[in-house]
Amino acid sequence: MKWAEVSVRTSHEAMDLVASLMEDVGASGVVMDDPALVNEYIRSGKWDFKDMTERRDATFVTVKSYLPMDDSLTGKIDTIRVGMLRLLRNGVDTSPADLWKREVDDEDWANEWKKYFHTEKIGERIVIVPTWESYEANDGEIVLRLDPGAAFGTGTHPTTAMCLRALERLVKPDMETIDIGTGSGVLAIAAAKLGASRVTAVDYSETAVKVARENVEQNGVAGVVKTGASDLLKNVAADKKVMLITANLIADLIIRLFDEDNGENGLSAHLAAGGKLLASGIITSRADEVKDAAEKHGYKITEQQEDKDWVMMIIERQ
Ligand code: SAH
């Protein structure tokens, strides 16, 4: 089968938003070619590089998506372009915003993103290892074996990495947790490996749920992590309140968690008093909006961290 590789060159600020536009039109895989990140990895010596050299121009990122070569392609590309104009109108700097396409064979792209995913230690104990690499764990390390496939979550994205580091501190033995927008399942699996006794992991994308389930099994935590499809917390049974919920989403969705809480199947039905919501994926410019929404509903921000334009907040229910 022939595929169109549709690429957009854009800013670091806009890259995840552009990736979402591509996912919204049904792209089967989205790959970030971020020279700045690659250079950072090469310089840090974290990757065992033989086949990559430092890139000279690291100002922009190329976001690549893969769409079937059929009659719907032109319409989808137009939708991506319109979405980019909307971002621009909303103050997101998408420049240079060049878009181009080329034809590729199926096999060419399915493994493209694997070039950018390698074993990496995050925090004090967690090591993320792609399923196709081998790794000998050192004492005290917690190894997560992941194949994110078409789902988001290699664990190395700043928004996820901040959550993983926080989980190392926050998960207590036998704790029960919920992971909203689980993607590859990375945060749910980490919670289980850090000692949680029950983790409910949901995502509204069926693909993500499938990928998460495979990763959960691969890591031997299927007895602890239950996966399912849900729009935010809607399908999660409110049988018992938990002390920790992870939500690496985007600002709008985190605000929805507060604003749509009707007491029945919303945040307050799931998070106990004194419990913490670990909210991430918030772009710096929107952190105040999230804070306002949380405070308006009586929650308190007890910690805030920032990494490369992304904010993570620990929000406590009073
Ligand atoms: N938890 C992973 C993935 C985060 S990406 C990590 O930390 O790396 C955000 C995920 O949220 C995506 O998998 C996306 O499918 C999911 N998502 C987006 N909107 C959602 C919604 N309304 N309800 C549940 N999940 C949602």
Side-chain angles (χ1 to χ4, degrees):
M1 181 172 171
K2 292 284 180 201
W3 292 80
E5 180 185 73
V6 178
S7 304
V8 170
R9 212 155 59 100
T10 189
S11 63
H12 282 94
E13 179 193 352
M15 65 188 217
D16 291 283
L17 297 165
V18 170
S20 305
L21 294 174
M22 292 164 164
E23 276 157 13
D24 288 348
V25 296
S28 295
V30 177
V31 174
M32 304 281 187
D33 182 355
D34 181 355
L37 198 62
V38 172
N39 288 352
E40 194 180 309
Y41 278 126
I42 296 174
R43 280 181 213 138
S44 71
K46 274 193 215 157
W47 288 2
D48 178 19
F49 267 107
K50 290 177 191 69
D51 52 346
M52 280 192 187
T53 45
E54 278 196 38
R55 314 266 193 97
R56 255 189 282 153
D57 186 358
T59 321
F60 302 115
V61 185
T62 302
V63 190
K64 300 177 185 174
S65 61
Y66 299 90
L67 293 159
M69 215 43 173
D70 58 22
D71 295 345
S72 68
L73 182 63
T74 317
K76 286 174 183 167
I77 291 177
D78 286 345
T79 308
I80 295 173
R81 283 191 201 279
V82 170
M84 291 197 323
L85 285 173
R86 202 173 50 237
L87 290 177
L88 197 61
R89 271 205 304 274
N90 289 337
V92 181
D93 175 15
T94 53
S95 63
D98 322 327
L99 184 150
W100 69 96
K101 69 167 201 281
R102 70 181 182 111
E103 197 179 300
V104 291
D105 286 322
D106 204 351
E107 303 76 38
D108 286 349
W109 65 266
N111 293 316
E112 166 77 14
W113 59 275
K114 291 190 175 175
K115 282 202 294 212
Y116 306 102
F117 181 29
H118 294 277
T119 296
E120 189 172 337
K121 183 155 185 177
I122 316 249
E124 300 285 313
R125 301 171 68 196
I126 295 173
V127 184
I128 309 274
V129 181
T131 46
W132 56 93
E133 284 189 6
S134 56
Y135 183 74
E136 198 74 43
N138 297 308
D139 273 357
E141 281 182 349
I142 292 177
V143 174
L144 267 67
R145 300 202 155 269
L146 285 185
D147 182 346
F152 181 99
T154 59
T156 54
H157 191 275
T159 60
T160 315
M162 284 192 280
C163 291
L164 288 170
R165 285 187 212 110
L167 282 178
E168 287 186 340
R169 290 183 280 132
L170 297 177
V171 177
K172 304 279 179 269
D174 294 329
M175 200 175 207
E176 298 189 6
T177 75
I178 299 173
D179 183 28
I180 311 174
T182 198
S184 64
V186 54
L187 299 179
I189 296 166
K193 292 213 168 185
L194 287 163
S197 59
R198 184 170 88 151
V199 183
T200 307
V202 293
D203 202 292
Y204 84 151
S205 142
E206 293 284 352
T207 313
V209 173
K210 186 169 159 283
V211 171
R213 193 168 295 144
E214 282 163 10
N215 281 318
V216 164
E217 276 165 20
Q218 157 100 338
N219 282 279
V221 288
V224 175
V225 183
K226 299 294 166 223
T227 50
S230 175
D231 173 24
L232 300 179
L233 289 160
K234 285 194 184 130
N235 295 345
V236 181
D239 53 352
K240 199 169 164 197
K241 291 197 172 97
V242 299
M243 291 300 285
L244 182 64
I245 297 182
T246 47
N248 182 12
L249 301 161
I250 50 168
D252 280 330
L253 290 174
I254 294 165
I255 293 170
R256 263 184 64 200
L257 274 177
F258 296 107
D259 287 352
E260 290 180 7
D261 186 356
N262 61 6
E264 268 170 43
N265 55 8
L267 191 58
S268 61
H270 291 280
L271 191 64
K276 294 181 167 78
L277 172 72
L278 192 60
S280 191
I282 305 161
I283 196 110
T284 318
S285 56
R286 305 206 51 203
D288 284 344
E289 277 174 71
V290 174
K291 187 164 174 272
D292 289 348
E295 287 173 351
K296 195 170 78 198
H297 293 272
Y299 289 74
K300 199 172 153 195
I301 318 293
T302 55
E303 199 178 315
Q304 187 162 323
Q305 281 181 23
E306 212 175 309
D307 186 4
K308 297 194 185 71
D309 282 335
W310 296 102
V311 172
M312 181 207 76
M313 290 179 191
I314 298 180
I315 305 174
E316 201 175 286
R317 182 162 185 210
Q318 300 303 291

